Amino acid sequence: MRAHLSDILARRQLSALFQPIVNMQTGDIIAYEGLIRGPSDSPLHAPMNLFKVARAAGLTTRVEHLCSQVILERFAELDLPGKLFLNVSPECLLRREPRHGDTLDHIQHIGINPERVIIELTENQPTYDYELMREAVRHYRAMGFQIAIDDLGEGFSSLRLWSELRPEYVKIDMHFTQGINDDPVKLQFVRSIQEIAEKSNTLVIAEGIETQAELLVIRDVGVAYGQGYHLGRPHPQPARASSAEVVKALARHGVAVYPQRGAEKHAATIVKLLNQVQAVPPVMTNNEVYEIFLKEPKLLIIPVVDGDAPLGLISRFDMIDHFARPYQRELYGKKSCKQFMDRNPLIADQGTTMQELSFRMVQADAHHLFNGFIITDQGRYLGLGTGHDLMREITQMQINAARYANPLTQLPGNVPINEHIDRLLESGTRFWACYVDLDHFKPFNDVYGYRRGDDVIQLTGVMLSERCDPNRDFVGHIGGDDFMVLFQSEDWELRCESILADFEHNVQEFYSIEDRERGGYLSEDRQGKKVFYSLMSLSIGAIRVEPRQYYTHHQIATAAAESKRQAKKIHGNSLFLDRRQQPQG
């Protein structure tokens, strides 16, 4: 292989490909990344194999220099517009030729202005000498070059390099780009990088864009430039303009639908509830424990621990109750404190989730809610947690989860609904806000039970999602039997009609044959009177939102709710569009 590589170098059998880098707002091609290939019939055709053999043969610097020359010469020959991103390893950057002007002379000789060339640092091994790196970058910047860092988030020390070198460009590794429209963690990563870039005057390039959905999410985050197969594949003679499809997508008003995190899995552990309470040994007497309670009026529970092993819990009120009885203190005061100890306390490892412990506590005897629980680390005593703290945390987690994602349907809750409305308003695009509500849901719940009611709500969420364009339309669950759909699809009305037809057909299966045949059922109203209720139906209240017509999500919510009230006045499955143009609220 070494001989084969030497032959390739001697005969300059390398060819250049160029992949476009696109402005995410306009669709214009602003630059190309130069890529290299070996002979097509050679095992060294792929750059990974080429450089692997080069490293083994100690020829990395020579191969890189030839690659740069081939790419630069071909870029000039094709007379491509914009800038050129030239891959250079830190190792090669540091091993400059003794004559500093060689690189500059070669570029000027072939007719390329150094200001059009961006040195893209491609990391394939750890870089430790940052002072040398800074000095090398200063040298190249003095010649007119700019600097980019490749594969941010993937390399050994790319974030440190960013901080040390302050590059003009950073490229986000394709791992964080691909599937970003379905992954809230990747979205958060890219948003964080963009935020850092804005504060450090760095331009971000997202690599690996392969779908229109990824493209639009990346655009909405504010990333300046994009690269990937959807924008253009590497080619010996690349296009000079983006495809009509890409330009049209980027020019389209509106916003991408961001991926939402699901309902909280309640994975927080009980270590958050840890209170370090001084334990007592089993040899301590009841009198001594009683004195501790007297000295510390706020102390309610004392753990009994033998070495590191928890044995039980002593309750302040149990002990006081015993000692208040005749002769109890005289009989038991000098005996081991194990006498009044709860020998079967609730014990949980620090890694136990709050949800798991909550379930155990509900299943256990009621006194554990007051006594609390012992927290251990692999069986060793750490401290105590209280039932009150556990219930408070569980309740708060459920409230937070419902705000971000409804636990029943897994659809986005009120916070992401409002965030999406605000993004739509800020973008200045036309959209339709639809408030969706079930009619006669409460009496159905009363007659058929909450489990069946939950099934209806889940089915409604599924039907709404199936009839919407996931890249343009946002489906949220406000709570209970109320939903919000934010349409950017122009055919929103047809989609709503399909939703109503789906509901009318599918809701039948939730009723008995008798109720289906008579079109309803009897149930008591709030005054206890028997009332005939029709089968459940769906009411959709819609408003059309024009640019600068509304300014807050509160106004949208008020107007949509009013439209929903009008829809509910119509018997059966109904769609009502409020055609008034004045904002409400």
Side-chain angles (χ1 to χ4, degrees), residues 305-364:
V305 176
D306 188 4
D308 287 329
L311 301 181
L313 295 173
I314 302 172
S315 162
R316 175 189 196 90
F317 299 111
D318 278 354
M319 174 154 278
I320 291 174
D321 180 57
H322 277 100
F323 274 22
R325 299 174 191 173
Y327 311 115
Q328 291 288 300
R329 186 164 187 179
E330 289 79 0
L331 287 172
Y332 301 112
K334 295 182 180 180
K335 293 192 175 181
S336 165
C337 62
K338 293 193 295 182
Q339 183 78 34
F340 301 140
M341 175 182 78
D342 175 6
R343 297 173 182 268
N344 296 297
L346 210 54
I347 300 176
D349 187 86
Q350 62 176 341
T352 305
T353 67
M354 294 198 199
Q355 194 73 0
E356 290 169 345
L357 184 60
S358 174
F359 180 77
R360 283 180 57 191
M361 187 165 281
V362 169
Q363 300 296 314

Coordinates of all heavy atoms in Angstrom, one line a residue, residues 305-364:
V305 N -29.3 2.8 63.7 CA -28.4 2.2 62.8 C -27.3 1.5 63.5 O -26.7 2.0 64.5 CB -27.7 3.3 61.9 CG1 -26.7 2.8 61.0 CG2 -28.8 4.1 61.1
D306 N -27.1 0.3 63.1 CA -26.0 -0.6 63.7 C -24.8 -0.6 62.7 O -24.8 -1.2 61.7 CB -26.5 -2.0 63.9 CG -25.5 -2.8 64.7 OD1 -24.5 -2.3 65.1 OD2 -25.8 -4.1 64.8
G307 N -23.8 0.2 63.1 CA -22.7 0.4 62.1 C -23.2 1.2 61.0 O -23.5 2.4 61.1
D308 N -23.3 0.6 59.8 CA -23.9 1.3 58.6 C -25.2 0.8 58.3 O -25.9 1.3 57.4 CB -23.0 1.2 57.4 CG -21.7 2.0 57.5 OD1 -21.7 3.1 58.1 OD2 -20.7 1.6 56.9
A309 N -25.7 -0.3 58.9 CA -26.9 -0.9 58.6 C -28.1 -0.3 59.3 O -28.2 -0.3 60.5 CB -26.8 -2.4 58.9
P310 N -29.1 0.2 58.6 CA -30.3 0.7 59.2 C -31.2 -0.4 59.8 O -31.4 -1.4 59.1 CB -31.0 1.5 58.1 CG -30.5 0.8 56.8 CD -29.1 0.3 57.1
L311 N -31.6 -0.2 61.0 CA -32.5 -1.2 61.7 C -34.0 -0.7 61.7 O -34.9 -1.6 61.6 CB -32.0 -1.5 63.1 CG -30.5 -2.0 63.2 CD1 -30.2 -2.2 64.7 CD2 -30.4 -3.2 62.4
G312 N -34.2 0.5 62.0 CA -35.6 1.0 62.1 C -35.7 2.5 62.4 O -34.6 3.2 62.4
L313 N -36.9 2.9 62.7 CA -37.1 4.3 63.0 C -37.9 4.5 64.3 O -38.8 3.7 64.6 CB -38.0 5.0 61.9 CG -37.3 5.1 60.5 CD1 -38.3 5.5 59.5 CD2 -36.1 6.0 60.5
I314 N -37.5 5.5 65.1 CA -38.2 5.8 66.3 C -39.0 7.1 66.1 O -38.4 8.1 65.8 CB -37.3 6.0 67.5 CG1 -36.5 4.7 67.7 CG2 -38.1 6.3 68.8 CD1 -35.3 4.8 68.7
S315 N -40.3 7.0 66.3 CA -41.2 8.2 66.2 C -41.3 9.0 67.5 O -41.5 8.4 68.5 CB -42.6 7.8 65.7 OG -43.5 8.8 65.9
R316 N -41.1 10.3 67.4 CA -41.2 11.2 68.6 C -42.6 10.9 69.3 O -42.6 10.8 70.5 CB -41.1 12.6 68.1 CG -41.4 13.6 69.2 CD -41.5 15.0 68.6 NE -41.3 16.0 69.7 CZ -40.1 16.5 70.1 NH1 -39.0 16.1 69.5 NH2 -40.1 17.3 71.1
F317 N -43.7 10.9 68.5 CA -45.0 10.8 69.1 C -45.2 9.4 69.7 O -45.9 9.2 70.7 CB -46.1 11.1 68.1 CG -45.9 12.5 67.6 CD1 -45.5 12.8 66.3 CD2 -46.1 13.6 68.4 CE1 -45.4 14.1 65.8 CE2 -46.0 14.9 68.0 CZ -45.6 15.1 66.7
D318 N -44.7 8.3 69.1 CA -44.8 7.0 69.7 C -44.1 6.9 71.0 O -44.6 6.4 72.0 CB -44.2 5.9 68.7 CG -45.1 5.5 67.6 OD1 -46.3 6.0 67.7 OD2 -44.7 4.8 66.7
M319 N -42.9 7.5 71.1 CA -42.1 7.4 72.3 C -42.8 8.2 73.4 O -42.9 7.8 74.6 CB -40.7 7.9 72.1 CG -39.9 8.0 73.4 SD -38.1 7.9 73.1 CE -37.9 6.1 73.0
I320 N -43.2 9.4 73.1 CA -43.9 10.3 74.1 C -45.2 9.6 74.6 O -45.5 9.6 75.8 CB -44.2 11.7 73.5 CG1 -42.8 12.4 73.3 CG2 -45.1 12.5 74.4 CD1 -43.0 13.8 72.7
D321 N -45.9 9.0 73.6 CA -47.1 8.3 74.0 C -46.8 7.1 75.0 O -47.6 6.9 76.0 CB -47.8 7.7 72.7 CG -49.1 7.0 73.0 OD1 -50.0 7.6 73.6 OD2 -49.2 5.8 72.7
H322 N -45.8 6.4 74.7 CA -45.4 5.3 75.6 C -45.0 5.8 77.0 O -45.5 5.3 78.0 CB -44.3 4.4 75.1 CG -44.7 3.4 74.1 ND1 -44.6 3.6 72.7 CD2 -45.3 2.2 74.3 CE1 -45.1 2.5 72.1 NE2 -45.5 1.6 73.0
F323 N -44.2 6.8 77.0 CA -43.7 7.3 78.3 C -44.8 8.0 79.1 O -44.6 8.3 80.3 CB -42.5 8.2 78.1 CG -41.2 7.5 78.0 CD1 -41.1 6.1 77.7 CD2 -40.0 8.1 78.3 CE1 -39.9 5.5 77.6 CE2 -38.8 7.5 78.2 CZ -38.7 6.1 77.9
A324 N -45.8 8.4 78.4 CA -47.0 9.1 79.1 C -47.8 8.1 79.9 O -48.6 8.5 80.8 CB -47.8 9.9 78.1
R325 N -47.7 6.8 79.6 CA -48.5 5.8 80.3 C -47.9 5.5 81.6 O -46.6 5.5 81.8 CB -48.6 4.6 79.4 CG -49.3 4.8 78.1 CD -49.2 3.5 77.2 NE -49.7 3.8 75.8 CZ -49.6 2.9 74.9 NH1 -49.1 1.7 75.2 NH2 -50.0 3.2 73.7
P326 N -48.7 5.0 82.6 CA -48.1 4.7 83.9 C -47.1 3.6 83.8 O -47.3 2.6 83.1 CB -49.4 4.2 84.7 CG -50.5 4.8 83.9 CD -50.1 4.9 82.5
Y327 N -46.0 3.8 84.5 CA -44.9 2.8 84.8 C -44.1 2.5 83.5 O -43.1 1.7 83.6 CB -45.4 1.5 85.4 CG -46.3 1.8 86.6 CD1 -47.7 1.4 86.5 CD2 -45.8 2.3 87.7 CE1 -48.5 1.6 87.6 CE2 -46.6 2.6 88.8 CZ -47.9 2.2 88.8 OH -48.7 2.4 89.9
Q328 N -44.5 3.1 82.3 CA -43.8 2.7 81.1 C -42.3 3.1 81.1 O -41.4 2.4 80.7 CB -44.4 3.3 79.8 CG -45.8 2.7 79.5 CD -45.7 1.3 79.0 OE1 -45.1 1.0 78.0 NE2 -46.3 0.3 79.7
R329 N -42.1 4.3 81.6 CA -40.7 4.8 81.6 C -39.8 4.0 82.6 O -38.7 3.7 82.3 CB -40.7 6.3 82.0 CG -39.3 6.9 81.8 CD -39.3 8.4 81.8 NE -38.0 8.9 81.5 CZ -37.7 10.2 81.4 NH1 -38.6 11.1 81.5 NH2 -36.4 10.6 81.1
E330 N -40.5 3.7 83.8 CA -39.7 2.9 84.7 C -39.4 1.5 84.2 O -38.3 1.0 84.5 CB -40.5 2.8 86.0 CG -40.7 4.1 86.9 CD -41.7 5.0 86.3 OE1 -42.4 4.7 85.3 OE2 -41.9 6.1 86.9
L331 N -40.3 1.0 83.4 CA -40.1 -0.4 82.9 C -39.1 -0.4 81.8 O -38.3 -1.4 81.6 CB -41.5 -1.0 82.5 CG -42.4 -1.4 83.6 CD1 -43.8 -1.8 83.0 CD2 -41.8 -2.6 84.3
Y332 N -39.2 0.5 80.9 CA -38.5 0.4 79.6 C -37.4 1.5 79.4 O -36.7 1.5 78.4 CB -39.5 0.5 78.4 CG -40.5 -0.6 78.4 CD1 -41.9 -0.3 78.7 CD2 -40.2 -1.9 78.2 CE1 -42.8 -1.2 78.7 CE2 -41.1 -2.9 78.2 CZ -42.5 -2.6 78.5 OH -43.4 -3.6 78.5
G333 N -37.3 2.5 80.3 CA -36.4 3.6 80.1 C -35.0 3.2 79.9 O -34.2 3.8 79.1
K334 N -34.5 2.1 80.6 CA -33.1 1.7 80.5 C -32.9 0.6 79.5 O -31.7 0.1 79.4 CB -32.6 1.3 81.9 CG -32.6 2.4 82.9 CD -32.1 2.0 84.3 CE -32.1 3.1 85.3 NZ -31.5 2.7 86.6
K335 N -33.9 0.2 78.8 CA -33.8 -0.8 77.8 C -33.4 -0.2 76.5 O -33.5 1.0 76.2 CB -35.1 -1.6 77.7 CG -35.4 -2.4 79.0 CD -36.5 -3.4 78.8 CE -36.6 -4.3 80.0 NZ -37.7 -5.3 79.9
S336 N -33.0 -1.1 75.6 CA -32.5 -0.7 74.2 C -33.6 0.1 73.5 O -34.8 -0.2 73.6 CB -32.1 -1.9 73.4 OG -32.0 -1.5 72.0
C337 N -33.2 1.1 72.8 CA -34.2 1.9 72.0 C -34.9 1.1 70.9 O -35.9 1.6 70.3 CB -33.5 3.1 71.4 SG -32.2 2.7 70.2
K338 N -34.4 -0.1 70.7 CA -35.1 -0.9 69.7 C -36.5 -1.3 70.2 O -37.4 -1.7 69.4 CB -34.3 -2.2 69.4 CG -33.0 -2.0 68.7 CD -32.4 -3.3 68.2 CE -32.0 -4.2 69.3 NZ -31.4 -5.5 68.8
Q339 N -36.7 -1.1 71.5 CA -38.0 -1.5 72.1 C -39.2 -0.8 71.4 O -40.2 -1.4 71.2 CB -38.0 -1.1 73.6 CG -39.2 -1.4 74.4 CD -39.2 -2.9 74.8 OE1 -38.2 -3.5 75.0 NE2 -40.4 -3.5 74.8
F340 N -39.0 0.5 71.2 CA -40.1 1.3 70.6 C -39.9 1.6 69.1 O -40.6 2.5 68.5 CB -40.4 2.6 71.3 CG -40.7 2.4 72.8 CD1 -40.1 3.2 73.8 CD2 -41.5 1.4 73.2 CE1 -40.4 3.1 75.1 CE2 -41.8 1.2 74.5 CZ -41.3 2.0 75.5
M341 N -39.0 0.9 68.5 CA -38.6 1.2 67.1 C -39.5 0.5 66.1 O -40.0 -0.6 66.4 CB -37.1 0.6 66.9 CG -36.6 0.7 65.5 SD -34.9 0.0 65.5 CE -35.3 -1.8 65.5
D342 N -39.8 1.2 65.0 CA -40.5 0.5 63.9 C -39.5 -0.4 63.2 O -38.6 0.1 62.6 CB -41.1 1.6 62.9 CG -41.7 0.9 61.7 OD1 -41.8 -0.3 61.6 OD2 -42.1 1.7 60.8
R343 N -39.7 -1.7 63.3 CA -38.7 -2.6 62.8 C -38.8 -2.9 61.3 O -38.0 -3.6 60.7 CB -38.8 -3.9 63.6 CG -38.4 -3.8 65.1 CD -38.7 -5.0 65.9 NE -38.4 -4.8 67.3 CZ -37.2 -5.1 67.8 NH1 -36.2 -5.5 67.1 NH2 -37.1 -4.8 69.1
N344 N -39.8 -2.4 60.7 CA -40.0 -2.6 59.3 C -40.2 -1.2 58.5 O -41.2 -1.0 58.0 CB -41.3 -3.5 59.0 CG -41.1 -4.8 59.6 OD1 -40.2 -5.6 59.1 ND2 -41.9 -5.2 60.6
P345 N -39.2 -0.4 58.6 CA -39.3 0.9 58.0 C -39.2 0.8 56.5 O -38.8 -0.3 55.9 CB -38.1 1.7 58.5 CG -37.0 0.6 58.7 CD -37.8 -0.6 59.2
L346 N -39.6 1.8 55.8 CA -39.5 1.9 54.3 C -38.0 2.3 54.0 O -37.6 3.3 54.5 CB -40.4 2.9 53.8 CG -41.0 2.7 52.4 CD1 -41.6 1.3 52.2 CD2 -42.0 3.8 52.0
I347 N -37.3 1.4 53.3 CA -35.9 1.7 53.0 C -35.7 1.6 51.5 O -36.2 0.8 50.8 CB -35.0 0.6 53.6 CG1 -35.1 0.6 55.2 CG2 -33.5 0.8 53.3 CD1 -34.3 -0.5 55.9
A348 N -35.0 2.7 51.0 CA -34.9 2.7 49.5 C -33.4 3.2 49.2 O -32.9 4.1 49.9 CB -35.9 3.7 48.9
D349 N -32.9 2.7 48.2 CA -31.5 3.1 47.7 C -31.6 4.5 47.1 O -32.7 4.9 46.5 CB -31.0 2.1 46.7 CG -29.5 2.4 46.4 OD1 -28.6 2.0 47.1 OD2 -29.3 3.1 45.4
Q350 N -30.6 5.2 47.2 CA -30.5 6.6 46.7 C -30.9 6.7 45.2 O -31.3 7.7 44.7 CB -29.2 7.3 46.9 CG -28.0 6.6 46.2 CD -26.7 7.3 46.4 OE1 -26.7 8.5 46.8 NE2 -25.6 6.6 46.2
G351 N -30.7 5.6 44.4 CA -31.0 5.6 43.0 C -32.4 5.3 42.7 O -32.8 5.4 41.5
T352 N -33.2 5.1 43.7 CA -34.7 4.8 43.5 C -35.3 6.1 42.9 O -35.1 7.2 43.4 CB -35.4 4.4 44.8 OG1 -34.7 3.3 45.3 CG2 -36.8 4.1 44.5
T353 N -36.2 6.0 41.9 CA -36.9 7.2 41.4 C -38.0 7.5 42.4 O -38.5 6.7 43.1 CB -37.5 6.9 40.0 OG1 -38.5 6.0 40.1 CG2 -36.4 6.4 39.0
M354 N -38.4 8.8 42.3 CA -39.5 9.3 43.2 C -40.8 8.6 42.8 O -41.6 8.3 43.7 CB -39.6 10.8 43.0 CG -38.4 11.5 43.5 SD -38.8 13.3 43.8 CE -37.1 13.9 43.8
Q355 N -41.0 8.3 41.5 CA -42.2 7.6 41.1 C -42.2 6.2 41.7 O -43.3 5.8 42.2 CB -42.2 7.5 39.6 CG -43.6 7.2 39.0 CD -44.6 8.3 39.1 OE1 -44.3 9.4 39.7 NE2 -45.8 8.1 38.7
E356 N -41.1 5.5 41.7 CA -41.1 4.1 42.3 C -41.4 4.1 43.8 O -42.1 3.3 44.3 CB -39.7 3.5 42.0 CG -39.4 3.2 40.5 CD -38.0 2.8 40.3 OE1 -37.1 3.1 41.2 OE2 -37.7 2.3 39.2
L357 N -40.7 5.1 44.5 CA -40.9 5.1 45.9 C -42.4 5.6 46.2 O -43.0 5.1 47.2 CB -39.9 6.1 46.6 CG -40.0 6.2 48.1 CD1 -39.7 4.8 48.7 CD2 -39.1 7.2 48.7
S358 N -42.9 6.5 45.5 CA -44.3 6.9 45.7 C -45.2 5.7 45.6 O -46.1 5.5 46.4 CB -44.7 8.0 44.7 OG -46.0 8.3 44.8
F359 N -45.0 4.9 44.6 CA -45.8 3.7 44.4 C -45.7 2.7 45.6 O -46.7 2.2 46.1 CB -45.4 2.9 43.1 CG -46.2 1.7 42.9 CD1 -47.5 1.8 42.3 CD2 -45.7 0.4 43.1 CE1 -48.3 0.6 42.1 CE2 -46.4 -0.7 42.9 CZ -47.7 -0.6 42.4
R360 N -44.5 2.6 46.1 CA -44.2 1.7 47.3 C -44.9 2.2 48.5 O -45.5 1.5 49.3 CB -42.7 1.5 47.5 CG -42.0 0.6 46.6 CD -40.5 0.5 46.9 NE -40.3 0.1 48.3 CZ -39.1 0.1 49.0 NH1 -38.1 0.6 48.3 NH2 -39.0 -0.3 50.2
M361 N -44.9 3.6 48.7 CA -45.5 4.2 49.8 C -47.0 4.0 49.8 O -47.6 3.8 50.9 CB -45.1 5.6 49.9 CG -45.5 6.3 51.2 SD -44.6 7.9 51.5 CE -43.1 7.3 52.1
V362 N -47.6 4.2 48.6 CA -49.0 4.0 48.5 C -49.5 2.6 48.9 O -50.5 2.4 49.5 CB -49.5 4.4 47.1 CG1 -50.9 4.0 46.9 CG2 -49.3 5.9 46.9
Q363 N -48.6 1.6 48.5 CA -48.9 0.2 48.8 C -48.7 -0.2 50.2 O -49.3 -1.1 50.7 CB -48.1 -0.7 47.9 CG -48.3 -0.5 46.4 CD -49.7 -0.8 45.9 OE1 -50.2 -1.9 46.3 NE2 -50.3 0.0 45.1
A364 N -47.8 0.6 50.9 CA -47.4 0.2 52.3 C -48.5 0.8 53.3 O -49.4 1.5 53.0 CB -46.0 0.8 52.6

